[in-house]
Amino acid sequence: MNLSFRERKASGEKFAMLTAYDYPMARLLDESGVDLVLVGDSLGMVVLGYRDTTSVTMEHMIHHCRAVVRGVKSAFVVADLPIGSVDTPKLAVQNAMRLYEAGAHGVKLEGGVSRCREIAAIVEAGIPVMGHIGMLPQRVLVEGGYKIKGKTPTEAQQLYADAVAVEKAGAFALVMELVHPEVARKITATMTIPTIGIGSGPDCDGQVLVIHDLVGLFPWFTPKFATPRAHVAGAIREAVQTFVQDTKVAGGLTMEQNILTQPPGANPTPVSSSEPNPATPQKRQSSLSVDGAAAHAASAASFLKSTRTDSTQFPDQSLALEKSPKTGRGSLERRNGQSLRCGNLKPVQGQIEPKATDC
Ligand code: KIV
């Protein structure tokens, strides 16, 4: 059964979204059942080591988006439009199209009332848009920090206006970052599209986190609202320290740790068809000569080559762009059941009085 985001919200279903920036993480998230994978421009901080997201470029986003898309079979992939990429409707459409061509199913952009023309233009071009209001990381230098929004009536009113403008412009969902929980709750109750919160309390229609914050992979900083559910940085440090010890102190790695398995002249180990990716760790067995190792490596290399050139390798990789015969506009659907697609825009009913906008 294909349900739109709106229908899923109406049915009370919650949305789980996490960020990913590369193939293995994307594949792990997808295999673990997330609904949406976000290629966030937070990659500037947690992957590229910048202080904030203001140095991230379209080239960075496209590069990481391609890697993520290769790892995802089921989830809906959203890619961030970085700072400076949506300054006019025309530029916004061009850059959204580049991310779409890199395999994203939809794009996300920061801003409410001030960005409704760009959102409408991208939707008009057939690409689903996720809005993002509240604390806008791309404006951190202007705002001087990451502060909660909606604490004053004026700020709350502005957030309502932003949310309504984003929905009216045709977005299929809305991220609310560091929005006061009470304001987030009211906006969620008013909107027909799902809200996905980060640091905005429990009453949004879904939650999103930077994956590094969830699994403890960026130990130098964890936002207050994130509770790490694993300590991957610690596990990596332990494994690396053990390796360093094994290498330097214990007199070198043991034979078992150091070499592949295969007697000289034996056929290369076949790669299991149920695990089609060479990135899957192969269990190491006993000893092997150098020649055998070379044969094994050659086999892996040829498998890798065929995987990369064979687009049917992941037949479920599932994105269909269906053009409406009526409007000529596209809507994106996944082919493998349970698809998430953008519903039609409905007028917003509710108590909120948006400020006048151009849209
Ligand atoms: O870039 C990002 O990871 C984001 C999330 C924090 C929502 O925009």
Side-chain angles (χ1 to χ4, degrees), residues 200-247:
S200 301
D203 295 319
C204 300
D205 297 308
Q207 297 289 331
V208 55
L209 278 181
V210 168
I211 185 66
H212 291 57
D213 299 336
L214 179 67
V215 302
L217 186 50
F218 197 83
W220 310 279
F221 174 75
T222 307
K224 282 197 194 114
F225 55 78
T227 308
R229 301 288 183 194
H231 300 282
V232 173
I236 291 175
R237 281 188 169 133
E238 226 174 88
V240 172
Q241 282 160 9
T242 305
F243 173 80
V244 171
Q245 287 281 321
D246 284 352
T247 304

Coordinates of all heavy atoms in Angstrom, one line a residue, residues 200-247:
S200 N 13.3 19.5 19.7 CA 12.1 20.3 19.7 C 11.0 19.6 20.5 O 9.8 19.8 20.2 CB 11.6 20.6 18.3 OG 12.6 21.3 17.6
G201 N 11.4 18.7 21.4 CA 10.4 18.0 22.2 C 9.8 16.8 21.5 O 10.1 16.5 20.4
P202 N 8.9 16.0 22.3 CA 8.5 14.7 21.8 C 7.2 14.8 20.9 O 6.8 13.7 20.4 CB 8.1 14.0 23.1 CG 7.7 15.1 24.1 CD 8.5 16.4 23.6
D203 N 6.6 15.9 20.8 CA 5.3 15.9 20.1 C 5.3 16.2 18.6 O 4.3 16.6 18.1 CB 4.4 17.0 20.9 CG 4.1 16.5 22.3 OD1 3.9 15.3 22.5 OD2 4.2 17.3 23.2
C204 N 6.4 16.1 18.0 CA 6.5 16.2 16.5 C 6.0 14.9 15.9 O 5.9 13.9 16.6 CB 7.9 16.6 16.1 SG 8.5 18.1 16.8
D205 N 5.8 14.9 14.6 CA 5.4 13.6 14.0 C 6.5 12.7 13.8 O 6.3 11.5 13.4 CB 4.7 13.9 12.6 CG 3.5 14.8 12.7 OD1 2.6 14.4 13.5 OD2 3.4 15.8 12.1
G206 N 7.8 13.2 13.9 CA 8.9 12.3 13.8 C 10.1 12.9 14.5 O 10.0 14.1 15.0
Q207 N 11.2 12.2 14.5 CA 12.4 12.7 15.1 C 13.6 12.5 14.1 O 13.6 11.5 13.4 CB 12.7 12.0 16.4 CG 11.7 12.2 17.5 CD 11.6 13.6 18.1 OE1 12.7 14.3 18.1 NE2 10.5 14.1 18.5
V208 N 14.5 13.4 14.1 CA 15.7 13.3 13.4 C 16.9 13.6 14.3 O 16.9 14.4 15.1 CB 15.8 14.2 12.1 CG1 15.6 15.7 12.5 CG2 17.1 14.1 11.3
L209 N 18.0 12.8 14.0 CA 19.3 13.1 14.7 C 20.4 12.9 13.7 O 20.3 12.2 12.7 CB 19.5 12.0 15.9 CG 18.8 12.3 17.2 CD1 19.2 11.2 18.2 CD2 19.2 13.6 17.8
V210 N 21.5 13.6 14.1 CA 22.8 13.3 13.4 C 23.3 12.0 13.9 O 23.3 11.8 15.1 CB 23.8 14.5 13.7 CG1 25.2 14.1 13.2 CG2 23.3 15.8 13.0
I211 N 23.6 11.1 13.0 CA 23.9 9.7 13.4 C 25.1 9.7 14.3 O 25.1 8.9 15.3 CB 24.2 8.8 12.1 CG1 24.4 7.4 12.5 CG2 25.3 9.3 11.3 CD1 23.2 6.7 13.1
H212 N 26.0 10.6 14.2 CA 27.2 10.6 15.1 C 26.8 10.8 16.5 O 27.4 10.3 17.4 CB 28.2 11.6 14.6 CG 28.9 11.3 13.3 ND1 28.2 11.1 12.2 CD2 30.2 11.2 13.0 CE1 29.0 10.8 11.2 NE2 30.3 10.8 11.7
D213 N 25.7 11.7 16.7 CA 25.2 12.0 18.0 C 24.5 10.8 18.6 O 24.5 10.5 19.8 CB 24.3 13.2 18.0 CG 25.0 14.4 17.5 OD1 26.2 14.5 17.7 OD2 24.3 15.3 17.0
L214 N 23.8 10.0 17.8 CA 23.1 8.8 18.3 C 24.0 7.7 18.7 O 23.8 7.0 19.6 CB 22.1 8.3 17.2 CG 21.3 7.1 17.6 CD1 20.3 7.4 18.7 CD2 20.6 6.5 16.4
V215 N 25.1 7.5 17.9 CA 26.0 6.3 18.2 C 27.3 6.7 18.8 O 28.2 5.8 19.0 CB 26.2 5.5 16.9 CG1 24.9 5.0 16.3 CG2 27.1 6.3 15.9
G216 N 27.4 7.9 19.2 CA 28.7 8.3 20.0 C 29.9 8.3 19.1 O 30.9 7.7 19.5
L217 N 29.8 8.8 17.9 CA 30.9 8.8 16.9 C 31.6 10.1 16.8 O 32.6 10.2 16.1 CB 30.3 8.3 15.6 CG 31.2 8.0 14.4 CD1 32.4 7.1 14.8 CD2 30.5 7.4 13.2
F218 N 31.1 11.1 17.5 CA 31.8 12.4 17.5 C 31.9 12.9 19.0 O 31.2 13.7 19.5 CB 30.9 13.4 16.7 CG 31.7 14.7 16.3 CD1 32.5 14.6 15.1 CD2 31.6 15.8 17.0 CE1 33.2 15.8 14.8 CE2 32.4 17.0 16.6 CZ 33.2 16.9 15.5
P219 N 32.9 12.3 19.7 CA 32.9 12.4 21.1 C 33.3 13.8 21.6 O 33.2 14.1 22.8 CB 34.0 11.4 21.6 CG 34.9 11.2 20.4 CD 34.0 11.4 19.2
W220 N 33.8 14.6 20.7 CA 34.3 15.9 21.1 C 33.1 16.9 21.4 O 33.3 17.9 22.0 CB 35.2 16.5 20.0 CG 36.3 15.5 19.7 CD1 37.4 15.2 20.4 CD2 36.2 14.6 18.6 NE1 38.1 14.2 19.9 CE2 37.4 13.7 18.8 CE3 35.4 14.3 17.6 CZ2 37.7 12.7 17.9 CZ3 35.7 13.3 16.7 CH2 36.8 12.5 16.8
F221 N 31.9 16.6 20.8 CA 30.8 17.4 21.1 C 29.5 16.6 20.9 O 29.3 16.0 19.9 CB 30.7 18.7 20.2 CG 29.5 19.4 20.3 CD1 29.3 20.3 21.5 CD2 28.4 19.3 19.4 CE1 28.1 21.0 21.7 CE2 27.2 20.0 19.6 CZ 27.1 20.8 20.7
T222 N 28.6 16.6 21.9 CA 27.3 16.0 21.7 C 26.3 17.0 22.2 O 26.3 17.6 23.3 CB 27.1 14.8 22.7 OG1 28.2 13.9 22.4 CG2 25.9 14.0 22.4
P223 N 25.3 17.4 21.3 CA 24.3 18.3 21.7 C 23.5 17.8 22.9 O 23.3 16.6 23.1 CB 23.4 18.5 20.5 CG 23.8 17.5 19.5 CD 25.1 16.8 20.0
K224 N 23.0 18.8 23.7 CA 22.3 18.4 25.0 C 21.1 17.5 24.7 O 20.8 16.7 25.5 CB 21.8 19.7 25.7 CG 22.9 20.4 26.4 CD 22.3 21.4 27.4 CE 23.4 22.4 27.9 NZ 23.2 23.8 27.5
F225 N 20.4 17.7 23.6 CA 19.2 17.0 23.4 C 19.4 15.6 22.9 O 18.4 14.8 22.8 CB 18.3 17.7 22.4 CG 18.9 18.0 21.1 CD1 19.1 17.1 20.1 CD2 19.4 19.3 20.8 CE1 19.7 17.3 18.9 CE2 20.0 19.6 19.6 CZ 20.2 18.6 18.7
A226 N 20.6 15.2 22.6 CA 20.9 13.9 22.0 C 21.4 12.9 23.1 O 22.4 13.3 23.8 CB 21.9 14.0 20.9
T227 N 20.8 11.7 23.2 CA 21.3 10.7 24.1 C 22.0 9.6 23.3 O 21.3 8.9 22.5 CB 20.1 10.1 24.9 OG1 19.4 11.1 25.5 CG2 20.6 9.1 25.9
P228 N 23.3 9.5 23.4 CA 24.0 8.4 22.6 C 23.5 7.1 23.0 O 23.4 6.8 24.2 CB 25.5 8.6 22.9 CG 25.6 10.0 23.5 CD 24.3 10.3 24.1
R229 N 23.2 6.2 22.1 CA 22.7 4.9 22.3 C 23.8 3.8 22.1 O 23.6 2.6 22.2 CB 21.5 4.5 21.4 CG 20.3 5.4 21.6 CD 19.6 5.2 22.9 NE 18.5 6.0 23.0 CZ 17.8 6.2 24.1 NH1 18.2 5.6 25.2 NH2 16.7 7.0 24.2
A230 N 25.0 4.3 21.7 CA 26.1 3.5 21.6 C 27.4 4.3 21.8 O 27.3 5.6 21.8 CB 26.1 2.8 20.2
H231 N 28.5 3.7 21.8 CA 29.8 4.5 22.1 C 30.8 4.0 21.0 O 31.8 3.4 21.4 CB 30.2 4.3 23.5 CG 29.2 4.8 24.5 ND1 29.0 6.1 24.7 CD2 28.2 4.1 25.1 CE1 28.0 6.2 25.6 NE2 27.5 5.0 25.8
V232 N 30.5 4.3 19.8 CA 31.3 3.8 18.7 C 32.7 4.4 18.7 O 33.7 3.7 18.5 CB 30.6 4.1 17.3 CG1 31.5 3.8 16.2 CG2 29.3 3.3 17.3
A233 N 32.9 5.7 19.1 CA 34.2 6.3 19.2 C 35.1 5.5 20.2 O 36.2 5.2 19.9 CB 34.1 7.7 19.6
G234 N 34.5 5.1 21.3 CA 35.2 4.3 22.3 C 35.6 3.0 21.7 O 36.7 2.5 22.0
A235 N 34.7 2.3 21.0 CA 35.0 1.0 20.4 C 36.1 1.1 19.4 O 37.0 0.2 19.3 CB 33.7 0.4 19.8
I236 N 36.1 2.2 18.6 CA 37.1 2.4 17.6 C 38.5 2.6 18.3 O 39.5 1.9 18.0 CB 36.8 3.5 16.7 CG1 35.6 3.2 15.8 CG2 38.0 3.9 15.8 CD1 35.1 4.4 14.9
R237 N 38.5 3.4 19.3 CA 39.7 3.7 20.1 C 40.3 2.4 20.6 O 41.5 2.1 20.6 CB 39.5 4.7 21.2 CG 39.4 6.1 20.7 CD 39.3 7.1 21.9 NE 39.5 8.4 21.4 CZ 38.8 9.5 21.7 NH1 37.8 9.3 22.6 NH2 39.0 10.7 21.3
E238 N 39.4 1.6 21.2 CA 39.8 0.3 21.8 C 40.5 -0.6 20.8 O 41.5 -1.2 21.0 CB 38.6 -0.4 22.5 CG 38.9 -0.9 23.9 CD 37.6 -1.4 24.4 OE1 37.3 -2.6 24.2 OE2 36.9 -0.6 25.1
A239 N 39.8 -0.7 19.6 CA 40.3 -1.6 18.6 C 41.6 -1.1 18.1 O 42.5 -1.9 17.8 CB 39.2 -1.7 17.5
V240 N 41.7 0.2 17.9 CA 43.0 0.7 17.3 C 44.1 0.6 18.4 O 45.2 0.2 18.0 CB 42.8 2.2 16.9 CG1 44.1 2.9 16.6 CG2 41.8 2.3 15.8
Q241 N 43.8 0.8 19.6 CA 44.8 0.7 20.6 C 45.3 -0.8 20.7 O 46.5 -1.0 20.9 CB 44.3 1.2 22.0 CG 44.3 2.7 22.1 CD 43.4 3.2 23.2 OE1 42.9 2.5 24.0 NE2 43.2 4.5 23.2
T242 N 44.4 -1.7 20.6 CA 44.7 -3.1 20.6 C 45.6 -3.4 19.4 O 46.7 -4.1 19.5 CB 43.5 -4.0 20.5 OG1 42.6 -3.6 21.6 CG2 43.8 -5.5 20.6
F243 N 45.3 -2.9 18.2 CA 46.1 -3.1 17.0 C 47.5 -2.5 17.2 O 48.5 -3.1 16.9 CB 45.4 -2.4 15.8 CG 46.3 -2.4 14.6 CD1 46.3 -3.5 13.8 CD2 47.0 -1.3 14.2 CE1 47.1 -3.5 12.6 CE2 47.8 -1.3 13.1 CZ 47.8 -2.4 12.3
V244 N 47.6 -1.3 17.8 CA 48.9 -0.7 18.0 C 49.7 -1.5 19.0 O 50.9 -1.8 18.8 CB 48.7 0.8 18.6 CG1 50.0 1.4 19.0 CG2 48.0 1.7 17.5
Q245 N 49.0 -2.0 20.0 CA 49.7 -2.9 21.0 C 50.2 -4.1 20.3 O 51.4 -4.5 20.5 CB 48.7 -3.3 22.1 CG 48.4 -2.2 23.1 CD 49.5 -2.0 24.1 OE1 50.0 -3.0 24.6 NE2 49.8 -0.8 24.5
D246 N 49.3 -4.8 19.6 CA 49.7 -6.0 18.9 C 50.9 -5.8 18.0 O 51.8 -6.7 17.9 CB 48.5 -6.5 18.0 CG 47.4 -7.2 18.9 OD1 47.6 -7.3 20.1 OD2 46.3 -7.4 18.3
T247 N 50.9 -4.7 17.3 CA 51.9 -4.4 16.4 C 53.3 -4.1 17.0 O 54.3 -4.6 16.7 CB 51.5 -3.3 15.4 OG1 50.3 -3.6 14.8 CG2 52.5 -3.0 14.4

